Amino acid sequence: MPDTLTIIDNRTGKRYELPIEHGTIRASELRAIKTDSDDFGLMTYDPALMNTAACKSRITYIDGDKGILRYRGYPIEQLAEASSFIETAYLILHGELPSASQLAGFTQTIEAQRMPPPGLEQLFRGFPNEPYAMGVLAASFASLSTFYPESRRIFEDWNRTLQMHRVLGHAPTLAAYAYRHRRHQPTVPPSPSLGYVPNFLAMLFAEPGKPYTPHPVLSRALDILFVLHADHEQNCSTFAMRAVGSSHADLFTVMAGAVSALSGPLHGGANEAVLRMLAEIGHVNHVPEFIKRVKAGEGRLMGFGHRVYKSYDPRAKIIKRTADEVFEVTGKNPLLEIAMELERIALQDDYFVKRRLYPNVDFYSGLIYQAMGFPTDMFPVLFAIPRVAGWLAQWEESLLDPDTKITRPRQVYIGSDQRDYVPMAKRS
Ligand code: ACO
């Protein structure tokens, strides 16, 4: 069977043969299909890139129909069970699981990069009262480009690696700064004796100068959530990372773009929106009425549906288990009952079944975060910190890919034809 596609252009009767590679044709090959020499050539119209592979990648594999997610070939279920976020970050960045000494070296390197430059804290004092945490995170990443001007030399290997380690090391500290400034609390410096996740919890919740030991079950639960969120191939924020990065901007500016993309309620802001939705529903008895309104098009069931998963999101399954372990320590989140009833009804309702809408990663994660004492505006930040690993790997892969060019899609122009300027006095 030849790996080609034959196209007959009915406008001209001409026949074209296009090669098929990895189940794709090169969109640029369509440009040869023209009605005459003035014709620009055929393009595809794909507004949300729903059927366009914008890159080749070796990092994450998803089969949305079967509910499969793998990082570098390893199933998410195995990584959530046995790995840690820091080991998973190594895997995502380097492509292979580390040896014991590689993991120790990587951990040490990231720990050495926990402290952002001292001047950065000034920035936090300039925000208004109660600033939106994702806005603060985006701004602090963008401002780091001014502290590390050498980060513009993105094709210097050692320099790029250093900046990537800085991003991974600084991310939890920046998030903790945002959290504590919002509460008018003094910041807590990173603790050399604590690992990535326990140190993050300490920077958020410890009293300055006092020892803090996070509950091991809660710390492990957050570590698992970090593993689950570490990468998810070409989602909106990762695409932002690749697209902004394709202009060869420095890493910190590119990071600000990805954080901004993640902040929207259709993406990383969804876990926050789920909690607001559950609180609004208020009682399990109100669930049928809420579902009715969703089906009538008066809003969405937040935390349900996914562009890629058309079956149960494998991460949501793991999160549900983790939630049980967390609630044993913290007590049950009263909104859990409403969430479970929503899921029960939605999974047997024709509207959701037909559209293949299942709980996604955000449906239960917010409940865990709330039970652990995080305020809702921190939820997308808790998504952003681990996603840093994926963003970095995807950014570097894109930069080093000889196929990469500056992202510059085409458009179908449907505006006015040329017309003459009308002076103000002559306009009706
Ligand atoms: N509740 C109710 N109806 C929905 C939902 C939902 N959560 N999601 C999709 N639909 C319906 C749409 O109304 C549409 O119905 P129609 O065919 O009658 O018009 C159909 O399902 C297809 O929906 P689209 O919007 O075309 O699907 P798309 O792939 O563009 O959207 C998205 C995916 C954005 C995730 C969507 O399902 C959604 O808005 N979900 C709620 C927000 C959410 O949970 N986001 C988190 C995503 S996961 C992540 O980023 C980590």
Side-chain angles (χ1 to χ4, degrees):
M1 193 170 64
D3 273 352
T4 58
L5 174 73
T6 303
I7 297 176
I8 297 170
D9 186 346
N10 292 324
R11 300 169 302 175
T12 60
K14 279 196 193 153
R15 199 184 150 96
Y16 302 84
E17 196 108 341
L18 309 186
I20 298 176
E21 198 194 347
H22 304 299
T24 64
I25 56 164
R26 286 207 172 234
S28 55
E29 303 257 358
L30 298 174
R31 290 279 295 281
I33 303 177
K34 301 174 179 221
T35 49
D36 54 49
S37 58
D38 284 344
D39 186 355
F40 180 78
L42 204 64
M43 297 188 292
T44 56
Y45 176 61
D46 190 6
L49 304 182
M50 287 180 63
N51 195 38
T52 296
C55 65
K56 291 179 186 161
S57 182
R58 297 173 194 278
I59 302 168
T60 292
Y61 174 79
I62 298 177
D63 182 328
D65 284 328
K66 296 192 183 130
I68 293 173
L69 168 61
R70 297 181 198 135
Y71 301 152
R72 302 285 188 181
Y74 294 99
I76 192 66
E77 293 80 4
Q78 292 180 21
L79 293 170
E81 178 71 34
S83 185
S84 63
F85 170 68
I86 204 76
E87 184 186 53
T88 298
Y90 182 99
L91 169 70
I92 288 175
L93 287 167
H94 294 267
E96 297 298 334
L97 286 169
S99 67
S101 67
Q102 283 168 329
L103 181 59
F106 182 67
T107 306
Q108 212 173 28
T109 304
I110 302 306
E111 282 178 3
Q113 293 297 348
R114 283 172 170 175
M115 205 60 204
L120 188 81
E121 254 202 276
Q122 302 278 6
L123 180 79
F124 288 80
R125 299 198 182 98
F127 289 115
N129 259 345
E130 307 204 351
Y132 183 53
M134 282 296 265
V136 173
L137 192 65
S140 34
F141 270 120
S143 66
L144 282 173
S145 69
T146 64
F147 289 93
Y148 304 126
E150 74 280 10
S151 63
R152 272 177 258 152
R153 301 199 303 270
I154 53 175
F155 289 108
E156 230 168 52
D157 290 347
W158 68 268
N159 190 351
R160 188 176 60 251
T161 304
L162 168 66
Q163 308 312 330
M164 288 166 72
H165 290 159
R166 278 181 172 155
V167 169
L168 256 178
H170 289 8
T173 317
L174 296 176
Y177 278 4
Y179 176 84
R180 303 216 35 135
H181 272 275
R182 186 179 168 136
R183 277 150 199 82
H184 309 289
Q185 292 169 336
T187 53
V188 176
S191 162
S193 60
L194 293 174
Y196 197 86
V197 172
N199 170 62
F200 175 49
L201 288 169
M203 289 191 297
L204 291 167
F205 299 128
E207 282 183 45
K210 290 201 180 156
Y212 175 86
T213 315
H215 195 292
V217 171
L218 302 188
S219 185
R220 176 64 191 144
L222 193 58
D223 206 354
I224 292 172
L225 287 165
F226 276 15
V227 169
L228 299 183
H229 284 89
D231 193 45
H232 211 235
E233 53 119 306
Q234 306 313 313
N235 54 85
C236 177
S237 55
T238 301
F239 181 70
M241 194 81 195
R242 283 181 178 260
V244 181
S246 76
S247 75
H248 294 176
D250 70 86
L251 173 58
F252 298 99
T253 304
V254 176
M255 281 294 303
V259 171
S260 307
L262 186 69
S263 69
L266 297 187
H267 192 11
N271 48 19
E272 198 184 350
V274 170
L275 261 266
R276 257 187 274 114
M277 174 189 76
L278 295 176
E280 255 171 58
I281 296 173
H283 193 278
V284 72
N285 292 346
H286 304 156
V287 167
E289 177 54 31
F290 178 79
I291 295 270
K292 220 193 256 173
R293 292 214 312 270
V294 168
K295 286 160 63 177
E298 297 170 29
R300 292 203 156 186
L301 175 48
M302 299 311 286
F304 257 68
H306 198 277
R307 173 60 59 75
V308 177
Y309 293 119
K310 299 302 169 195
S311 68
Y312 215 102
D313 181 336
R315 301 167 300 171
K317 270 190 205 156
I318 300 166
I319 285 187
K320 231 173 142 180
R321 266 205 318 273
T322 310
D324 290 338
E325 287 158 22
V326 168
F327 295 151
E328 268 187 32
V329 176
T330 62
K332 228 175 216 162
N333 188 322
L335 299 176
L336 177 68
E337 205 191 343
I338 301 174
M340 289 178 72
E341 182 64 358
L342 276 171
E343 180 183 342
R344 191 187 68 76
I345 295 185
L347 290 185
Q348 46 190 335
D349 188 296
D350 231 27
Y351 174 96
F352 298 92
V353 173
K354 255 201 211 138
R355 290 170 179 77
R356 304 177 74 188
L357 301 169
Y358 292 85
N360 60 47
V361 67
D362 287 321
F363 193 63
Y364 287 105
S365 62
L367 289 170
I368 302 183
Y369 295 146
Q370 192 177 56
M372 289 173 77
F374 291 106
T376 39
D377 83 310
M378 279 298 283
F379 295 0
V381 174
L382 295 168
F383 187 154
I385 297 171
R387 183 53 59 87
V388 162
W391 286 335
L392 292 173
Q394 301 263 359
W395 172 74
E396 186 170 55
E397 185 180 64
S398 167
L399 275 188
L400 303 182
D401 182 344
D403 276 355
T404 300
K405 285 182 183 296
I406 185 165
T407 302
R408 203 315 185 176
R410 294 280 174 181
Q411 64 167 10
V412 178
Y413 179 70
I414 54 168
S416 304
D417 272 344
Q418 180 177 323
R419 46 190 175 160
D420 290 327
Y421 180 80
V422 181
M424 186 60 81
K426 291 195 173 168
R427 285 179 220 166
S428 54

